[in-house]
Every structure is written in C-alpha cells, then in structure tokens.
Amino acid sequence: MLIETELTPNPATIKFLPGRAVMGAGTRDFASPEEAEASPLADALFGLGDVTGVFFGSNFVSVTIAPGSQWSDVKPDVLATLLDHFSANMPLFAPGSAAGITVPAEAEDFADDPQDAEIVEQIRELIDTRVRPAVANDGGDIIYRGFDKGTVYLKMQGACSGCPSSSATLKNGIEQLLKHYVPEVTEVRAV
C-alpha cells in the first residue's frame, strides 16, 4: 500500500492520501487527545506526542504537529501509523452504543433569522459547491456557522485551522466570492 503526501498552505499540516475512502460522508476534526479517543486512528496519531490535530476528509487524513516539531522527525511515524491502520482495514471509529455518544454544543452557532432563509440558502450553496471542495484540496474544511446582519460566520478545520494564510483566504477569497454572488453579505469572520 502506498500513502501519498501533499503539503498544505499550513506548514504545520500535511495531507496524507491512503488511496481509498477515509470518511464515507462528512468530515471529522480532532483538536485534542480527548476528542481523538472516539477513533483508534486519531488516538494512535495523537499518541505519537508531536501531533496536535487530526482531520478526516473524504479521501485524506490531515495531521498537524506542534510548534517546534519537525516533519522530518514526525512524518515516518505518522506514515507507519496510517499504513498499519489502513492495511489492516481497521475501523475509523471505536464501536459503542448511542448512550456513549455525546456531541458537544457548538457555542459558535448563530441562530439565522427566518427572514434571511433565501440568503442563507445561497450562502450555504456557494460554500458547499465552491469553497469546501477547494479547501479540501488543501487538507481542510470550512463549516457554515451563521449569518447575522450581513456577516457570515465560518469555522475553519483541518489544515485551515491555524494556517498563516487562512485570514487571506477568508478575506480575499471567500468574502469576495460571497459578496459578489450575495450582495447582502458585507463581511466574513472566522469563529
């Protein structure tokens, strides 16, 4: 089995492509070892010590390392962990009952005004069709969190979270795109 790697705009994050589907649908972001306990793979990656973030996309795993860590030291261990996991066809998530599953409330969610339903639908469509595929190419994801008085709130995940160029992407790319197609949008902010 060959696992390809791609650099991302975030120098602390590398995108690993195992040549098969990772997530059947959606994405999953692990920002701490506690969150990673839900996944044997994420847990093993955090167990390497230098890993501070793991993100599962449709066909990739993005791994972020701590400041001061060097990819030349960490990459062989990450590759070995991924190779072991995918070669053995291990499950991505730990089995459990519904009683053991908790989904943390998203404090950053904003209640959309029902009068803005058409605007919100246009924003979501643009994010899903134009923004998310491009960001996935860089090993991350952007999630819609709300629209309030002209401001769109987005959450950045994976390689996008903490990336030095994410604010430029947000302002020069996403904000300009949304303003062009949805005149009611005046600003885009990361939460």
Side-chain angles (χ1 to χ4, degrees), residues 27-48:
T27 61
R28 181 68 191 268
D29 191 33
F30 301 95
S32 71
E34 294 76 26
E35 291 177 13
E37 291 174 0
S39 166
L41 177 56
D43 192 41
L45 290 167
F46 270 96
L48 297 175

Side-chain angles (χ1 to χ4, degrees), residues 60 103 165:
F60 66 90
V103 178
S165 63

Side-chain angles (χ1 to χ4, degrees), residues 28 32 56 58 80-81 83 90 98 131 138 152 154 157 160 167 183:
R28 181 68 191 268
S32 71
F56 296 155
S58 61
T81 301
L83 188 60
M90 294 172 63
V131 176
D138 287 337
V152 177
L154 302 174
Q157 297 181 319
C160 296
S167 60

Side-chain angles (χ1 to χ4, degrees), residues 10-108:
N10 184 347
T13 304
I14 290 183
K15 181 177 169 183
F16 295 86
L17 298 119
R20 63 174 70 174
V22 175
M23 290 282 291
T27 61
R28 181 68 191 268
D29 191 33
F30 301 95
S32 71
E34 294 76 26
E35 291 177 13
E37 291 174 0
S39 166
L41 177 56
D43 192 41
L45 290 167
F46 270 96
L48 297 175
D50 292 314
V51 173
T52 60
V54 176
F55 180 80
F56 296 155
S58 61
N59 65 344
F60 66 90
V61 176
S62 290
V63 178
T64 303
I65 57 173
S69 298
Q70 299 297 317
W71 270 112
S72 57
D73 298 331
V74 181
K75 190 174 176 181
D77 293 334
V78 170
L79 282 168
T81 301
L82 292 170
L83 188 60
D84 290 347
H85 178 87
F86 287 109
S87 293
N89 290 317
M90 294 172 63
L92 198 56
F93 295 99
S97 69
I101 298 173
T102 60
V103 178
E106 290 291 347
E108 300 95 8

